[in-house]
Structure formats: structure tokens, C-alpha cells
Amino acid sequence: MKHAWIITPVPGIIESVIENTILRQAKERDIVSFHIVNLRDFSEGNYRQIDDAPFGGGSGMVMMAEPIFKAIDHINAQVDKPSETRVIYPTPQGKKWTQKTAVENAKVENLIFINGHYKGIDERVVQSAITHEYSIGDYILSCGELPAMIMIDSIVRIMPGVLNNFESAATDSFSEQLLDAPYYTRPRKVRDIEVPEVLLSGNHKDILKWRKDHREKRTKDRRPDLWQKYIKNLETTEK
């Protein structure tokens, strides 16, 4: 990803996240450009309305289609090969967001994120403009900016040059199908709890084995679903 386009009626949320996370480092190093598109700039009327009551009745409001379409058109006029641009809508109805999908989307040059509010966005936008729907979990949030920034962060941090130590990202939980191992830092003893002796031994082979054993144990105990996938992949590899 070289460009992240974020369509939102509340730019301040996006600006705050970018300026206070690793995303700012990616921006300052010219690895990723963040383009915040204020949805209200594409609305009409004195009140810059972006939502209205749903047809058929019911509680809540729905984000109007036309301002979103105009915002997307505005972005497409500025990008090369708009047909290859992904338009992402964070929604509980989407495909589960995983480390694998983060890696996949990191390869796309332009990503457009549409942030829903209220009851969501007009279905006509979903049908004709959205290319990918993703969910970060089986729960509801009050706005789409939060899941969108989670997705963007998970993409950006795996891009070479963003983190000072890229190897750190490569060994994080989910990067190798297993949860991560425990870690310790100075001092060696805190409230009568000491660092495991093997981590002080200097024996790289023993340390790697200790970490692998703990990664496997944690995954088996805490995420049996991931553990079963890991075992199946091992069995397939060994055949």
C-alpha cells in the first residue's frame, strides 16, 4: 500500500490516530501517504447532511449514497489505474480481518476506506462501489473509523522500513500461525519473580527452542482453533 484514502465525516479521529501511532513514522519516511477525505465536503445544504431516515421505517439513520459516491469519484480522479483500487468497507457482515488479509492488502497500491456510522451506508454503495467488506470481530462499534484504523495499522506495520526492527513484526502473534512467546526485560528480578534462566544463558539454540515450546503451549491452551490449523499445516508439510 502506497496510498490510504480514508473517507470520514470526522477527520479528527483519523488525524489523532496517525499522529500518535507508528503511522506517523510511515508518513514521515514517505512509505505511505494518508489522504483524509471529509465526507461533508461532498454533501449539500446548509447543514452538510450525510444521513437520512431509512426507507421502510425503523429506528436509526442511514448514511446517504450520493456524498459517498462523490467522494469516491473525487479519489478515483487522482489515482492511477482506479480499476485496481480496492474500496474497503469495515462492517460486521464482512470477511474476518486476519494477518493474512493484512499482508494481501499491503500489496495493493491504493486502498480506499469508507467509514460507516449510524445504521451503516446505503446499500447501493455496497452493491456498486465497495470491492471488499471486512470485519474485525463479532461485535458492534459506534463508528467505522476505529476498525478502519486497526486495519490500516496492521497493514502499515508489516511494510519494510516502517518499524525500526522489521524482524520484530515477523515474529509477532499470527505472523507464523502461533501466538507469540513471553518476553522479559531488565531488571532480572521483579517482586521475587526472576527471568527464566535459559534466556540468560546466551545459548541461542536453547532460547529458540524455549520460545517455540512456549508459543506452541500458549496457542494450544488459549487458541485451540489456531492450534488445530497449525497441526494440520504441519501434517500437510510432512507428507
Side-chain angles (χ1 to χ4, degrees):
M1 176 178 68
K2 292 184 179 179
H3 299 276
W5 304 81
I6 305 143
I7 300 174
T8 173
V10 281
I13 294 178
I14 308 301
E15 293 166 355
S16 178
V17 173
I18 291 174
E19 290 304 311
N20 292 281
T21 65
I22 197 70
L23 302 182
R24 185 174 76 173
Q25 191 159 291
K27 181 181 72 172
E28 292 175 346
R29 294 178 178 179
D30 293 325
I31 297 171
V32 181
S33 295
F34 300 101
H35 311 272
I36 303 173
V37 180
N38 191 335
L39 183 61
R40 294 189 186 277
D41 290 343
F42 303 91
S43 61
E44 298 180 355
N46 294 333
Y47 297 101
R48 303 172 76 187
Q49 184 178 355
I50 59 168
D51 64 300
D52 210 334
F55 282 117
S59 60
M61 303 291 277
V62 178
M63 293 182 71
M64 301 164 69
E66 196 58 36
I68 300 175
F69 280 133
K70 288 180 177 178
I72 295 173
D73 290 342
H74 168 76
I75 295 169
N76 283 335
Q78 301 179 63
V79 303
D80 294 328
K81 301 179 181 178
S83 61
E84 297 179 10
T85 298
R86 287 191 176 188
V87 182
I88 295 174
Y89 177 42
T91 168
Q93 302 174 50
K95 175 184 175 182
K96 184 178 179 182
W97 185 265
T98 65
Q99 189 70 14
K100 183 178 179 180
T101 50
V103 172
E104 174 191 329
N105 281 281
K107 300 173 184 177
V108 181
E109 184 167 335
N110 286 281
L111 296 178
I112 300 174
F113 291 84
I114 297 178
N115 299 301
H117 284 252
Y118 319 115
K119 297 292 288 183
I121 65 177
D122 191 300
E123 184 65 19
R124 287 165 289 193
V125 177
V126 177
Q127 292 175 346
S128 59
I130 303 298
T131 63
H132 294 75
E133 296 179 78
Y134 292 113
S135 169
I136 62 168
D138 296 336
Y139 49 89
I140 309 298
L141 295 173
S142 58
C143 66
E145 283 77 12
L146 299 178
M149 297 314 292
I150 287 173
M151 294 175 191
I152 291 172
D153 185 281
S154 68
I155 293 171
V156 170
R157 72 186 312 278
I158 60 176
M159 299 178 68
V162 174
L163 295 179
N164 292 328
N165 185 351
F166 184 70
E167 184 181 348
S168 175
T171 58
D172 284 342
S173 293
F174 307 115
S175 294
E176 297 179 349
Q177 302 177 329
L178 296 172
L179 299 181
D180 210 350
Y183 289 93
Y184 302 82
T185 189
R186 296 179 179 84
R188 291 173 58 168
K189 187 175 183 179
V190 177
R191 299 194 178 191
D192 295 328
I193 304 173
E194 296 195 17
V195 177
E197 196 64 33
V198 64
L199 299 179
L200 307 172
S201 67
N203 189 317
H204 190 59
K205 182 177 179 180
D206 287 350
I207 292 172
L208 286 177
K209 183 180 184 305
W210 182 89
R211 285 180 172 159
K212 183 174 184 293
D213 290 345
H214 278 73
R215 295 185 73 186
E216 290 181 343
K217 185 178 186 305
R218 278 191 168 184
T219 306
K220 185 176 181 180
D221 292 345
R222 302 181 185 186
R223 290 292 303 273
D225 56 324
L226 292 178
W227 177 251
Q228 290 302 318
K229 290 181 181 179
Y230 175 68
I231 293 300
K232 288 181 180 180
N233 287 335
L234 282 181
E235 292 174 348
T236 301
T237 303
E238 292 171 356
K239 287 181 180 180

